[in-house]
Amino acid sequence: MHLFFPRDIESDIIETDIPGRLDRLPWSKWHWLIVVALGITWVLDGLEVTLAGAIGGVLRRPDTLGLSDTQVGASATFYLIGAVSGALLFGYLTDLLGRKKLFMVTLLLYLLSTALTAFSWSFASYAVFRTLTGAGIGGEYSAINSAIDELIPARVRGTVDLIINSTFWIGAALGSVGTIVLLDKGWVSVNLGWRLAFGIGALLGCIILILRHWVPESPRWLIIHGHKQEAGRTMAGIEQHVADRPDELPRPEYTLRIRTRSHTTFSEIWDAIFHKHRRRSLLGLTLMIAQAFFYNAIFFTYALVLVVFYGVPDQKVGLYLLPFALGNFVGPLTLGRLFDSIGRKPMIATTYFISGTLLFITGWLFKAGHLTAHTQALAWTMIFFVASSAASAAYLTVSEIFPLEIRGMAIAVFYALGTLVGGVGAPALFGYLISTHSRTNLFYGYSLGAALMIIAAATELKLGVEAERQSLEAVTDPLSKS
């Protein structure tokens, strides 16, 4: 019981300059370590989603698992159900026990589960292992996004977050290349190839475990939970990594008075999310639902559309996924800085609106039969060049507009709600629409996704928070502020 309900520490009022010290740091090699060691979460998720999408057609073959189109779509739904469950469980534990403990546990869960996926023998076993893999990735989102935002200087938080989130597509590109090689009959058998593909994620995860050993606990979390001396030592260690002469760093611009706490009660979490910050909650929920439906509906069934409507061979799907993945990575890399310079509200609203509009146009062209496999892939690449930044901005928004004490849980709640409403049903719905072999039916699904994105754009204009270049404590007062 000690793990879940730690002994209360004596409540005390502390005046700290740690948030200001973190925000004044110059960018350094140490920050790059944080980006690589923690940002790998998105690479792993991109890899998992791409592998599942690219091998969807292969798994329908009788010499593999012999899945139906509906089962292929349902397997994606099981992955998302696992991600939702993992996010909620590990999100709470992230706020309770600390960022570092949880991002090690969730990575280990992912490693084990994705390795077991390679040994699936039926739809049931495949669904179970995909659920557990999703739980590891869902838990990672809360721990990782909390840690990153609390360690990155405020002036570049938006740029860094968007670029890190876009590394999802590096994983997608790796998955695409992996499937091209492993599903080519000239290299290994198809039944062995799809199993080996899941070993890529396990291998990457093992490597990143070493890097994460060097990532410290968030000093912001430590000070809130009363670990004043440890927070001081951790902060001093960070400054020594960042600067040759820490004493010559600029003075922090602000201090903060807080009342320490050991944990945050569920009633406080509920009150903060659904009462005190309910306008922000509506904003976060709308952004997350829209991007979840938009992405999951299209990406999880990407391979099926190419195979069913354009006759693309199963083994060649990766060739179409690769440029799509690269376009998604280049988008935030190109547009990311604008979220810190122009600002959150105009950039989020614009990217959501453009994404929705382009999807509707592409859906109409698809229904009318004006696209080929190549032009369809090109259109999707253009759409997601913009949509990638929009989706990343949703995660950025929910991770910076709520108090530090519930940051992990807030990320989990909105990821879970957005995924349940916009993501879990979308792959199954689109799997069904594809099984009808009706372009008109599929166009209706695309139109729904487009409408959700445009509604989200309007919501951002109305309720958006101007968080650019501001400390997390300035965006939202900590619950412990005294």
Side-chain angles (χ1 to χ4, degrees), residues 388-411:
S388 181
S389 293
S392 297
Y395 287 94
L396 169 64
T397 297
V398 299
S399 67
E400 67 181 0
I401 63 174
F402 293 98
L404 182 145
E405 295 88 343
I406 63 168
R407 178 162 294 117
M409 193 61 186
I411 295 169

Side-chain angles (χ1 to χ4, degrees), residues 39-61:
I40 194 69
T41 292
W42 293 90
V43 176
L44 295 175
D45 191 22
L47 177 67
E48 287 297 319
V49 171
T50 305
L51 289 176
I55 69 174
V58 171
L59 295 182
R60 297 185 307 159
R61 295 165 57 112

